[in-house]
Amino acid sequence: MPRPRGDAAAAMLFLAPSLIGFAVFYLVPFGLGFYESFTDGALGGRFVGLGNYAELLHSASFRKAAGNTLLFTGAGVPLLVALSLTLAVLLNRPLRLRGPIRTSIMLPLVVPVASVVTVWQIFFDWNGTLNAWLHALGIARIDWMQSNWSLSIVAVMYIWKNIGYDMILLLAGLQSIPKDYYETASLEGAGRFHQFRHITLVYLTPTLFFVLLISIINSFKVFRETYLLAGDYPYDRLYMLQHYMNNMFFELDVQKLTAAATLMVGCIVVLTSGLLRAERRFRENTE
């Protein structure tokens, strides 16, 4: 039997290329950016403490971007998880054309973002399909991407793009629950709602928390869609944190850029830690 030390050395040898790449392209740049967020200038600036963060929090554009991002995450993620769970429960039953339905729901996941945005632009443009239908019905046209509807449109596109991935994860979690539990509960007189609440949700909790975590992270990456739809300076409702950081990059304002990026990473870490702690407590209470 090889010694454990030899196994550890072999594991580190195989992991070294990935770890080196991760450190060079992620950890080191983030560390440098984190340091720059406490200075007043790039490459040898003077240390100013939390001055950049205070200035950032007093910026109206940053507060607008942060508020829109949190609103998008708070509204889009629960709706995405609820719809994904509903579809997973329905497709977990023997249905006709279940395979083609799964495939149709998964298709948006493999379609490039640029193609998805092009389809939505054709549909929601001023001269697009939806306005053509409204005009045919005698209803005035709406500039969808320059109105308060714009955030809802991006939220629907986000759900449509990610619902297939979340559904597959939840479907795998549902299929891992032993059917004996449902049969025993049915023999004891438990109804479908009771079975769903006390069996499905309890044993699906780890998968649900994972799907929720992935959905939150994906919601912070919606910049690609909004940028392709509306450009650098979109309608106020669509102005996200990534827009703000992108504009600071083009203005070479490294301090505000790195401070905003640090705050966003910190927000994601806090949300992730809270979810993991909630999952741990939920498991302890149900065991």
Side-chain angles (χ1 to χ4, degrees), residues 39-50:
T39 63
D40 61 354
L43 299 177
R46 183 171 56 88
F47 184 79
V48 294
L50 298 176

Side-chain angles (χ1 to χ4, degrees), residues 143-156:
D143 193 354
W144 297 99
M145 301 311 300
Q146 296 296 324
S147 66
N148 289 333
W149 288 99
S150 55
L151 188 64
S152 302
I153 292 171
V154 175
V156 172

Side-chain angles (χ1 to χ4, degrees), residues 58-77:
H58 284 87
S59 172
S61 57
F62 175 79
R63 293 199 302 269
K64 169 66 72 175
N68 289 338
T69 303
L70 292 177
L71 177 62
F72 178 83
T73 301
V77 170

Side-chain angles (χ1 to χ4, degrees), residues 157-170:
M157 181 169 58
Y158 159 76
I159 292 172
W160 179 71
K161 186 79 169 60
N162 293 279
I163 194 171
Y165 180 69
D166 290 358
M167 181 201 68
I168 290 298
L169 292 176
L170 291 171

